[in-house]
Amino acid sequence: MCRVHAEPRLFPRARTRPGGLGAVGVCPGTRSPVIDVATDAGPVRVGIAICFDIIFDQQAVELVGDEAEVVFAQTNNADFGRTDESAQQLAIARMRAIETGRALVNISTVGTSAIVAPDGTDLAQLTPFTADAMVAELPLVSGETPALRFGAVFAALWVLCGAAGTGVGVAVLLRRPRIASD
């Protein structure tokens, strides 16, 4: 039995009970992860990335495709304690901000929280494991970046180059004359 949930992709480990006792009844959602948020200046299209949604390339494409002007990425890093996991997740979020050309608000209940500009610089940041607040003026951006438009093509070309390089290397090794040993 599933509860209603808007997260389109469920990270397998992230949705289990403490101690790994099984799923908590969460199923992938089907609605857009982009919502309109009312502000004094008018509605803002906000893309929502829940916890590890930020690692999925397709999620970034969908957020921009659904006209998100800014991305909110909220997470609970408590299970990871004082490891580098929350800093790693913020680094991924920072790359998403650059890739999408959107400001990104990365909020963690205990880990690293920051507001990241579309160029990857910090507009504000909180100290991990500290109750605090951030305020920053965010640029609202529309349109598609070259990274989103052509990123999959470049990734496929790099894979093909790698495969071709591996093939050439194997061919050279197989054609190399062997020297008999005494």
Side-chain angles (χ1 to χ4, degrees):
M1 170 127 168
C2 293
R3 297 182 306 200
V4 175
H5 194 64
E7 196 170 359
R9 288 164 198 80
L10 299 178
F11 192 71
R13 170 66 182 98
R15 301 294 175 254
T16 59
R17 292 187 181 117
L21 299 176
V24 294
V26 178
C27 294
T30 56
R31 292 183 299 176
S32 170
V34 178
I35 60 172
D36 288 320
V37 175
T39 70
D40 292 340
V44 173
R45 300 280 295 163
V46 175
I48 304 296
I50 301 170
C51 200
F52 279 96
D53 281 353
I54 203 71
I55 70 171
F56 297 109
D57 295 339
Q58 189 58 35
Q59 172 86 355
V61 171
E62 290 170 10
L63 292 176
V64 171
D66 288 346
E67 301 177 3
E69 299 171 290
V70 63
V71 176
F72 288 179
Q74 60 276 343
T75 185
N76 173 7
N77 304 109
D79 289 346
F80 297 97
R82 294 184 183 272
T83 67
D84 290 333
E85 185 278 337
S86 86
Q88 177 187 35
Q89 193 168 357
L90 176 59
I92 294 168
R94 186 177 316 284
M95 291 305 299
R96 288 291 181 219
I98 295 167
E99 176 188 35
T100 63
R102 305 300 191 270
L104 191 142
V105 180
N106 189 78
I107 296 296
S108 173
T109 54
V110 295
T112 307
S113 295
I115 300 174
V116 181
D119 67 359
T121 59
D122 285 344
L123 299 174
Q125 188 167 15
L126 299 178
T127 303
F129 300 98
T130 304
D132 207 344
M134 298 182 285
V135 176
E137 199 166 306
L138 303 177
L140 302 178
V141 179
S142 62
E144 190 177 40
T145 63
L148 289 178
R149 181 172 291 170
F150 304 113
V153 171
F154 284 113
L157 289 174
W158 280 114
V159 168
L160 290 174
C161 286
T166 300
V168 168
V170 168
V172 166
L173 285 174
L174 292 175
R175 293 173 50 89
R176 178 187 274 173
R178 305 230 186 261
I179 298 174
S181 61
D182 293 338

